[in-house]
Amino acid sequence: MLIILLIFIFLIGYLLIVPFNLFNVLETLGLSFPIGLGLWSFSLFIINLVGIPINSRLLCVGLSIFLGFLVIGASHIFKSNAGFNLWANALDIFRRIRLSLSTFVWNPFYATSLLAACIIIFAICLKAQYWPIINYDSIYGYDFLAKVIAHEGSYINSIFDKSNQLYSVRSLYPPLPVHGFFIGHLFNAGHAKFIPILFLLSTMCLLYGLSLRKGHHITAVWAVLLLCLTPEFMGQSALIASNPISAFYILMAYGLFFHFMQDNRNGLLYVSLLGLSMAIWTRTEAIIFCVPMGLILLRSSEKIKRITLLVFAALIPFISWQLYLKFGIQAPKEQPILMHLQTDFEKLSRMLSQIWTMVCSTKFYAYTFILLFLSVFTNLIFFKKATQLHALSFMLILSFILYVFVYYQIDTDYIVFNKSGWIGSGFKRGVFYFIPIGCMYISYSVLTRMILLPASGFLQKEPIGNIDKQK
Amino acid sequence: MKKSRSALMKQYALTIGLIGFLCFQYFSPTATLHWLMNNLIEQNLGLMFDRSKAITQDQKSQIKLGSNYFYLNTIKNTTPEDAIILFPDSETFKFEHDQISFSNEINIKGWASYFVYPRKIVYEREKNVNELYSQISHVAIVNGWGYHKLNYQVDQQIPFSVLAKNR
């Protein structure tokens, strides 16, 4: 029954995105499960809100079937031009993967990179599924809450009992990851590590698909390999944590938004905004990522309609969860964030120094951030030739600044730098937001195209940075 | 022909570069690949695929979490689901016994409760602040602590156990 539920959740997302007829094979595979889980989680939240216990297997499976039919109905109402021949679409996907791989698999660089990436992903998945949950944040956070919901049937449960409080800050994050982990406990699967595994596989598929869309198999596999070689990200992906999940949704939001800027296809924008909503439904601080998107949309056509959609996509999950925290869970207002603007430059300097040490550490992120900084730098040097990357560069830089600003506003002095501090713990995993999308950015960067493509024997004479012409 | 040969040479050079980079990663102690080959594959795959070394989920948790898991799991297996269990203060857990030493997590209620849920934990330090203290049904015996909280005498006092408060 667990497998059936996971398949139905996958189908919800699949049925939602296939009618757009905009996504390549790997994007479809990568997007389906996370979109399905996001919609399922939001529906489960509403069901719980009206007072129905959610710890019924039949209810969970029934809800996924209902959502599947709802999505099919919605696509008929909006007169989608793509048919719903599920088997034909599935067969087509596998045929296209075979064709696509047969063309490139004989390139030695491609084959080596793909093999290395596959070995790493396989080993991480194996490790995740084999070992039980041991990390502190899961035990005293997400997985405990998931376990209690599966037992008591409600999000408001004995963890939040005022006479015997058992919650941590992690119990107050939005419910998407917890709803995912809850499936494992509801179906007595031992643990819910299959959720991070499915997200890891989805991240890899989507990253490859997005990097391939206007790029090349060589650069796409490079992006995937780079992500696989990022120790902290891969290590956390084998644990029950919300950071890799939110990193997936930011890849979905920003990656598709980047392609929307190139192609001006509304479908890409809609699914991108769905990704943003789900990122906020995973961790509320992801709301900062809507700011660069909004600023870019200000310069687009139909800006009123698009910005309205963006505002709704960002505010619905954010406000719903804040209201639920306040009136449902009745969580205390002990927020470490200062609500007034600080002007402590010494604190800023200490914090930036710690951040710089952290992101440049090959121990945590290998060469991913170093390559990302180099890519941004070369794209600025070749500013006029890499016009398509301006929007994505702006989005990444601004969102990083905003993210750093959030940490600046935390009520601490940043004098001590240790592994349990704000930078050594929270920020270290928080920057996962930028890793998968950063790998996609690196794959499209002038740097990669200047060195990797010519060296791999492809497209030597193409203009640097003009990504449309290089396809 | 000359052009395709040159392209081929570039491809091989790039591949050799990539393999060199992967080798560097393999020998770099903090890299994913090093950890993967030396820790994950060497140590874990032996456990995962060797049938003679097959271990249960409980044993896996015990390998990773040590005495904390063993003790909390024993409590879970020997008390009813509605039990309210009295735990000692952190000082008692700190005392190192010959066989059992606890890590600090056992003193964190949210962490320890995960393993015994739906049973409830009340620490001795909460005596005056937690209303559940008056409803305690079981006492966790840790390093010989706890017998004085029982409403009856125990002849053979062992250092680690969990006992009902009333006979």
Side-chain angles (χ1 to χ4, degrees), chain B residues 2 34 79 125 130:
Chain B
K2 196 180 172 184
H34 179 87
T79 53
R125 62 174 181 263
N130 193 335

Side-chain angles (χ1 to χ4, degrees), chain B residues 2-150:
Chain B
K2 196 180 172 184
K3 197 177 175 183
S4 67
R5 193 177 168 185
S6 148
L8 208 62
M9 289 303 285
K10 279 181 182 173
Q11 279 184 27
Y12 283 117
L14 188 69
T15 311
I16 290 165
L18 176 70
I19 293 169
F21 175 68
L22 293 176
C23 287
F24 170 69
Q25 286 277 298
Y26 173 73
F27 289 110
S28 172
T30 55
T32 312
L33 215 57
H34 179 87
W35 168 78
L36 191 87
M37 304 302 280
N38 291 287
N39 177 308
L40 188 64
I41 292 181
E42 259 186 44
Q43 294 172 22
N44 288 313
L45 291 192
L47 272 176
M48 287 175 194
F49 293 114
D50 189 345
R51 282 179 182 273
S52 65
K53 291 177 186 168
I55 52 174
T56 63
Q57 203 69 12
D58 276 346
Q59 287 169 318
K60 289 177 198 171
S61 296
Q62 210 176 312
I63 289 171
K64 292 285 184 185
L65 299 165
S67 302
N68 283 2
Y69 179 80
F70 177 75
Y71 185 64
L72 292 169
N73 198 40
T74 306
I75 289 178
K76 186 185 171 189
N77 293 334
T78 52
T79 53
E81 286 199 352
D82 59 351
I84 298 172
I85 306 154
L86 177 67
F87 269 45
D89 283 340
S90 55
E91 291 302 313
T92 313
F93 280 112
K94 267 185 196 168
F95 181 79
E96 285 208 11
H97 191 264
D98 292 347
Q99 293 167 328
I100 298 180
S101 64
F102 296 100
S103 64
N104 189 47
E105 283 91 353
I106 204 161
N107 296 305
I108 299 164
K109 190 191 269 190
W111 191 91
S113 297
Y114 174 85
F115 297 98
V116 297
Y117 180 82
R119 295 148 195 85
K120 289 176 180 166
I121 292 173
V122 179
Y123 288 96
E124 180 61 16
R125 62 174 181 263
E126 297 178 287
K127 192 174 182 176
N128 300 319
V129 291
N130 193 335
E131 59 193 48
L132 288 179
Y133 191 91
S134 58
Q135 300 165 37
I136 286 160
S137 63
H138 288 74
V139 178
I141 308 294
V142 180
N143 281 317
W145 180 94
Y147 287 105
H148 65 291
K149 297 284 176 185
L150 303 175

Side-chain angles (χ1 to χ4, degrees), chain A residues 211-413:
Chain A
S211 304
L212 187 63
R213 188 175 263 266
K214 290 223 181 300
H216 200 281
H217 279 280
I218 296 288
T219 52
V221 81
W222 172 237
V224 170
L225 182 65
L226 210 56
L227 185 60
C228 287
L229 292 174
T230 311
E232 189 66 16
F233 185 86
M234 294 306 281
Q236 288 287 327
S237 295
L239 304 174
I240 297 274
S242 62
N243 300 93
I245 296 176
S246 52
F248 169 86
Y249 287 121
I250 291 301
L251 172 70
M252 175 179 162
Y254 270 29
L256 291 174
F257 191 82
F258 165 67
H259 290 297
F260 158 72
M261 295 300 294
Q262 314 296 313
D263 299 344
N264 205 22
R265 306 282 295 268
N266 278 332
L268 292 170
L269 177 69
Y270 300 150
V271 182
S272 160
L273 295 180
L274 200 59
L276 180 71
S277 288
M278 287 171 185
I280 298 168
W281 198 235
T282 305
R283 291 178 73 93
T284 36
E285 83 257 15
I287 197 161
I288 59 160
F289 289 90
C290 76
V291 177
M293 291 167 95
L295 290 174
I296 287 172
L297 285 178
L298 276 176
R299 293 186 60 193
S300 72
S301 56
E302 299 177 57
K303 63 181 172 192
I304 304 286
K305 178 190 158 194
R306 286 171 176 170
I307 289 177
T308 310
L309 281 173
L310 174 72
V311 169
F312 274 107
L315 289 187
I316 288 175
F318 185 81
I319 292 176
S320 320
W321 187 246
Q322 294 307 318
L323 290 175
Y324 191 68
L325 278 181
K326 190 172 182 183
F327 300 109
I329 293 173
Q330 296 177 354
K333 293 173 186 170
E334 293 164 15
Q335 293 290 343
I337 301 275
L338 296 169
M339 289 301 163
H340 60 274
L341 186 65
Q342 295 184 88
T343 49
D344 184 348
F345 293 109
E346 282 187 14
K347 174 185 172 180
L348 182 66
S349 160
R350 282 194 299 271
M351 187 190 77
L352 290 178
S353 153
Q354 290 178 12
I355 288 173
W356 182 252
T357 312
M358 177 67 68
V359 296
C360 292
S361 160
T362 54
K363 181 181 164 188
F364 298 126
Y365 308 111
Y367 300 95
T368 310
F369 273 107
I370 296 168
L371 275 173
L372 184 57
F373 294 144
L374 278 174
S375 300
V376 172
F377 185 67
T378 45
N379 288 340
L380 288 176
I381 292 173
F382 294 95
F383 190 76
K384 286 184 181 169
K385 289 183 175 175
T387 48
Q388 286 87 344
L389 287 167
H390 289 176
L392 190 58
S393 303
F394 171 75
M395 285 160 70
L396 284 178
I397 293 168
L398 183 60
S399 50
F400 191 77
I401 291 169
L402 287 172
Y403 194 68
V404 168
F405 177 72
V406 170
Y407 273 79
Y408 173 66
Q409 284 297 105
I410 290 175
D411 189 13
T412 180
D413 49 23

Side-chain angles (χ1 to χ4, degrees), chain A residues 20-261:
Chain A
F20 282 111
N21 216 6
L22 284 172
F23 302 100
N24 65 36
V25 178
L26 287 162
E27 285 169 349
T28 309
L29 284 175
L31 288 168
S32 295
F33 180 77
I35 289 181
L37 186 69
L39 293 176
W40 185 80
S41 163
F42 198 73
S43 312
L44 210 61
F45 173 75
I46 292 169
I47 287 175
N48 197 197
L49 206 61
V50 294
I52 300 170
I54 55 172
N55 58 343
S56 153
R57 294 179 183 185
L58 202 63
L59 176 98
C60 290
V61 176
L63 177 67
S64 64
I65 297 171
F66 171 74
L67 283 173
F69 280 110
L70 204 68
V71 168
I72 294 174
S75 74
H76 278 287
I77 290 167
F78 290 108
K79 294 187 173 53
S80 155
N81 53 6
F84 261 121
N85 192 338
L86 206 62
W87 287 114
N89 276 329
L91 286 174
D92 187 45
I93 278 179
F94 288 110
R95 189 180 58 79
R96 280 151 71 182
I97 288 176
R98 207 185 64 222
L99 277 175
S100 176
L101 279 179
S102 63
T103 318
F104 283 91
V105 83
W106 300 115
N107 180 296
F109 177 83
Y110 182 84
T112 313
S113 305
L114 189 67
L115 185 69
C118 287
I119 289 172
I120 294 171
I121 295 167
F122 177 71
I124 294 285
C125 293
L126 212 60
K127 185 223 171 203
Q129 194 53 35
Y130 183 77
W131 289 110
I133 290 156
I134 53 157
N135 60 320
Y136 181 83
D137 287 3
S138 309
I139 292 172
Y140 188 22
Y142 316 110
D143 201 53
F144 189 21
L145 186 52
K147 192 179 193 174
V148 177
I149 294 172
H151 190 261
E152 297 180 26
S154 173
Y155 214 94
I156 303 169
N157 50 52
S158 58
I159 279 190
F160 302 103
D161 184 355
K162 283 201 169 64
S163 64
N164 193 40
Q165 287 180 351
L166 296 170
Y167 69 88
S168 65
V169 184
R170 290 168 292 279
S171 315
L172 303 177
Y173 284 132
L176 193 151
V178 174
H179 280 153
F181 307 144
F182 147 83
I183 297 172
H185 292 285
L186 188 66
F187 289 90
N188 293 327
H191 55 73
K193 293 273 195 80
F194 54 84
I195 295 291
I197 290 174
L198 288 170
F199 268 94
L200 178 65
L201 296 175
S202 299
T203 305
M204 296 302 171
C205 287
L206 184 63
L207 177 59
Y208 194 109
L210 288 171
S211 304
L212 187 63
R213 188 175 263 266
K214 290 223 181 300
H216 200 281
H217 279 280
I218 296 288
T219 52
V221 81
W222 172 237
V224 170
L225 182 65
L226 210 56
L227 185 60
C228 287
L229 292 174
T230 311
E232 189 66 16
F233 185 86
M234 294 306 281
Q236 288 287 327
S237 295
L239 304 174
I240 297 274
S242 62
N243 300 93
I245 296 176
S246 52
F248 169 86
Y249 287 121
I250 291 301
L251 172 70
M252 175 179 162
Y254 270 29
L256 291 174
F257 191 82
F258 165 67
H259 290 297
F260 158 72
M261 295 300 294

